[in-house]
Amino acid sequence: MRAIPLLLALSLAAPALGAESPAVATPRVTATLLADRAALAPGEEFRLALRLRMAPGWHTYWSNPGDAGAAPEVALDPAWQAGPLRFPLPGRIAFGPLMNFGYTGEVVLPLAATAPATLRPGSRARLVAEATWLACADVCIPEEGRFVLDLPVEAAARPAEAVRFAAAEAALPRPAPFAARLSPEGVLRVEGDAIGPGRVREAAFFPFAQDRLLNPPPQRLSVREGALTLALPLAPGAPAGPLEGVLVLTDAGGQRAGFTLSAPPGPPEAAGPAPWQALALALLGGLVLNLMPCVFPVLAMKAMALARLGGAGAAAVRRDAAGYVAGVVAGFLGLGAGLLALRLGGQAAGWGFQFTHPAFVAAMAWVMLAVGLNLSGVFALRGPALAGTRGAFATGLLAVLVATPCTAPFMAPALGAALVLPPGWALGVFAALGAGLALPYALLAAFPALARAVPRPGPWMERLRQFLAFPMYGAAAWLAWVLAQQAGPDGLAAVLAGGVLVALAAWAWGLGARPGRVLAPLALGGALALLPALEAAPAAAPARAAAGEAWSAARVAALQAEGRPVFVNLTAAWCITCKVNERVALETEGARAAFAERNVAVLVGDWTRGDAAITALLRQHGRDGVPLYLLYPAGGGEPAVLPQLLTEGALRAALRAL
């Protein structure tokens, strides 16, 4: 909104650069007319500028003033030719229920001019300009001024003293290097390599025409790598055609840059949820995550903890439940902060990103094995869920780590919004996910009497404890299979060898004697020493999908050009939701027949070890993790996005709609 940076203020204060008229001053505005040179030649083109310095609390207007107001105007004597005023980047100025566009502080409005060809060298040229502007605070007052510049006329043109005008012209918008389009719902989509979450903090669009948009509502911004969207409220009865105006972007350091662009009509596009909607979706998604298979092993641990609480007092129940809730929320906040930090650093990190690293997968497999061995009684150290409030907190952290391979309903739009919202809102979304996951146990903290429904401790608890070891062993086996998909047979051999060392460490610790206490750390250290080699292991050759070929953007375009519809399945070996969908919806006889009947090409994008191109495709569609299912029409065009929890019926319905 303040259009004059320090460079311009210093240049305007310089006494011998160009010319400046005597000021026209009111209690509200001090105005002068500037020229970019101190002498003119007959017929010479030069630059003028109207300089307005507003008193505190007052403002004036941009070329489109918004809901009220009027733009400044300048008129020269008829003998002098003048172009239109050029306006630097405006700001949004709220006035009651109205939203205006304009400037506070100081603004310089340049324009091109041409001196009369009849001027005589050696004489003096008298340039007279009439200007009008509107000064507004609680009231608006029309103002005007008559400005006179008395300049010597020389035979030859003198180079312009451009320092005075350099900063003013630097504040003008420039042609956009971006592609833009406007959806029927009013979503402005802007695409360009320079756009990204770490490079665009704020954005605002200022239309040239007054009848295209409703100005007061906020323009909701979503930023992804290579693209941003702004939800623009269209005015009722707005004319059709391209939307033209100035897009103002603010970077992470607070610097503003403006671009003129014309956005032609485009296909429908969702703007994404508002912040409060993202919080609600995250809470629901976290609650449903309790029903997803990834969380079952940790729920088994919590079931054991609940069994131990049978007959316990209200204070003990509250402490245990509060510890678990705090651990889950802290885990999600830590995960969210890590994701945001990686994204700001330019890394392609998304939901479940840690499972794209073989070392993390191996470490989690060994943790699950160790917890199972503990529940089986191999070593006496009780597991995290059985060690009081601190153990409950640790169990909450573990629940977050093992939950990330799953994506529950409502989570995709919430996570997509989290990584384009401001950091405070984004962390709020992750905290809401944690609150949803921990909600059943939060109820115990609020109503500890619910724990009375659990039978009192007895011999049955030992049998339950041993039985619950098997979900842990199953989780460890599944993670070993995932590692085999990532790092091949050598990776599988390493994780199995590490598992043997972890089991040796657990057995040695369970002996209780001094030799065991020495052997256990050595065995555990041997397992941990395998992790760097696992992380550096070459990626396993991708297994051919049961139905489909490898995805690439070029292959999608080629198949569409051939006149074939294209179904894209973005998946990962560690994504349990993906594997369930493939079994029940994508690799059935009915699905294969439906694909064949409509000559649909099936492409599979494997995100098991991460992939920059797949990450970009996920973000393009507002997702931050797999699965993602896209159905492209034949001949070109944007794809339809299918549900994350896919059924054969939903797939067939989407194919019929082609």
Side-chain angles (χ1 to χ4, degrees):
M1 205 183 310
R2 288 185 174 272
I4 305 297
L6 178 61
L7 171 63
L8 181 55
L10 292 174
S11 69
L12 293 175
L17 298 178
E20 185 168 7
S21 73
V24 173
T26 72
R28 298 160 294 277
V29 177
T30 299
T32 56
L33 186 71
L34 310 174
D36 70 348
R37 60 203 69 198
L40 295 173
E44 181 183 8
E45 295 182 357
F46 64 105
R47 290 173 295 179
L48 295 171
L50 178 64
R51 180 188 184 193
L52 301 174
R53 287 171 286 176
M54 275 71 70
W58 293 84
H59 64 267
T60 194
Y61 293 96
W62 186 54
S63 58
N64 170 8
D67 290 331
E73 296 181 354
V74 173
L76 305 185
D77 284 343
W80 300 74
Q81 298 180 19
L85 283 177
R86 300 172 68 194
F87 291 82
L89 309 183
R92 288 165 64 90
I93 303 172
F95 185 76
L98 306 179
M99 181 62 69
N100 300 324
F101 307 145
Y103 313 95
T104 59
E106 185 171 330
V107 64
V108 173
L109 307 172
L111 69 155
T114 304
T118 56
L119 294 179
R120 290 175 300 158
S123 66
R124 297 192 71 84
R126 180 180 172 84
L127 187 158
V128 179
E130 302 280 350
T132 60
W133 60 90
L134 200 59
C136 293
D138 294 335
V139 295
C140 285
I141 300 176
E143 297 190 345
E144 60 184 23
R146 185 173 185 269
F147 305 94
V148 178
L149 287 172
D150 190 24
L151 304 174
V153 180
E154 299 179 347
R158 182 184 294 185
E161 295 164 335
V163 174
R164 180 184 289 273
F165 280 72
E169 298 208 342
L172 297 172
R174 55 187 184 271
F178 312 126
R181 63 177 184 265
L182 182 71
S183 77
E185 302 85 6
V187 178
L188 175 67
R189 183 177 184 85
V190 182
E191 299 175 344
D193 293 338
I195 298 173
R199 298 180 291 279
V200 178
R201 188 183 73 190
E202 299 173 4
F205 185 79
F206 299 87
F208 289 142
Q210 288 185 282
D211 58 353
R212 295 301 302 270
L213 302 180
L214 298 175
N215 299 318
Q219 299 176 355
R220 193 164 70 250
L221 170 67
S222 294
V223 185
R224 301 179 180 89
E225 199 63 41
L228 66 81
T229 59
L230 267 181
L232 304 178
L234 300 178
L243 177 66
E244 298 179 336
V246 173
L247 177 68
V248 179
L249 303 179
T250 304
D251 66 15
Q255 297 297 313
R256 302 170 82 224
F259 306 91
T260 58
L261 57 79
S262 176
E269 181 162 356
W276 68 268
Q277 293 173 318
L279 291 176
L281 290 170
L283 184 67
L284 287 172
L287 182 60
V288 176
L289 198 58
N290 282 287
L291 304 177
M292 306 304 288
C294 305
V295 190
F296 286 171
V298 176
L299 293 185
M301 296 168 65
K302 283 310 297 175
M304 189 65 206
L306 284 176
R308 296 181 74 246
L309 289 175
V317 173
R318 284 197 179 97
R319 284 195 300 269
D320 187 88
Y324 178 76
V325 171
V328 170
V329 173
F332 269 105
L333 285 173
L335 182 62
L339 272 172
L340 292 174
L342 290 172
R343 297 285 287 269
L344 288 174
Q347 304 243 355
W351 178 250
F353 74 98
Q354 66 269 37
F355 278 90
T356 65
H357 296 278
F360 178 85
V361 175
M364 287 302 301
W366 297 338
V367 168
M368 292 297 178
L369 174 62
V371 173
L373 292 171
N374 170 260
L375 293 174
S376 293
V378 173
F379 63 106
L381 178 67
R382 294 310 180 194
L386 307 178
T389 304
R390 290 182 180 179
F393 183 87
T395 306
L397 294 178
L398 184 61
V400 174
L401 291 176
V402 301
T404 45
C406 281
T407 302
F410 311 113
M411 281 180 59
L415 288 169
L419 295 173
V420 298
L421 288 170
W425 279 108
L427 290 177
V429 170
F430 279 96
L433 273 170
L437 181 61
L439 186 58
Y441 300 96
L443 292 176
L444 276 180
F447 306 102
L450 294 174
R452 295 174 187 165
V454 180
R456 290 182 177 275
W460 63 272
M461 282 184 55
E462 181 63 23
R463 293 190 293 273
L464 175 63
R465 183 171 71 88
Q466 294 179 2
F467 172 77
L468 291 178
F470 291 95
M472 302 301 167
Y473 297 142
W478 165 68
L479 288 166
W481 175 82
V482 169
L483 192 68
Q485 311 307 304
Q486 292 177 318
D490 291 343
L492 179 61
V495 75
L496 292 177
V500 172
L501 290 172
V502 168
L504 175 61
W507 172 79
W509 188 267
L511 291 177
R514 182 177 178 83
R517 293 292 190 262
V518 173
L519 179 59
L522 291 176
L524 186 60
L528 295 177
L530 297 171
L531 294 180
L534 270 171
E535 187 63 23
R544 180 176 177 82
E549 57 181 291
W551 169 87
S552 72
R555 185 58 178 152
V556 172
L559 289 166
Q560 284 186 289
E562 293 174 8
R564 295 185 66 185
V566 181
F567 178 81
V568 173
N569 170 19
L570 301 186
T571 183
W574 43 261
C575 172
I576 295 181
T577 307
C578 305
K579 296 306 173 186
V580 171
N581 287 344
E582 288 164 12
R583 288 295 181 92
V584 304
L586 297 179
E587 296 178 1
T588 64
E589 290 299 327
R592 294 191 185 97
F595 284 138
E597 180 183 349
R598 292 166 176 80
N599 195 28
V600 177
V602 178
L603 304 184
V604 179
D606 187 358
W607 206 50
T608 299
R609 285 197 71 165
D611 181 277
I614 293 175
T615 300
L617 183 61
L618 288 167
R619 294 179 184 172
Q620 180 182 338
H621 294 281
R623 299 292 176 85
D624 215 64
V626 291
L628 175 63
Y629 305 111
L630 303 173
L631 184 57
Y632 292 82
E638 295 297 315
V641 179
L642 276 60
Q644 281 190 307
L645 294 183
L646 196 59
T647 64
E648 184 180 317
L651 176 65
R652 285 177 170 274
L655 293 173
R656 286 195 297 269
L658 283 174

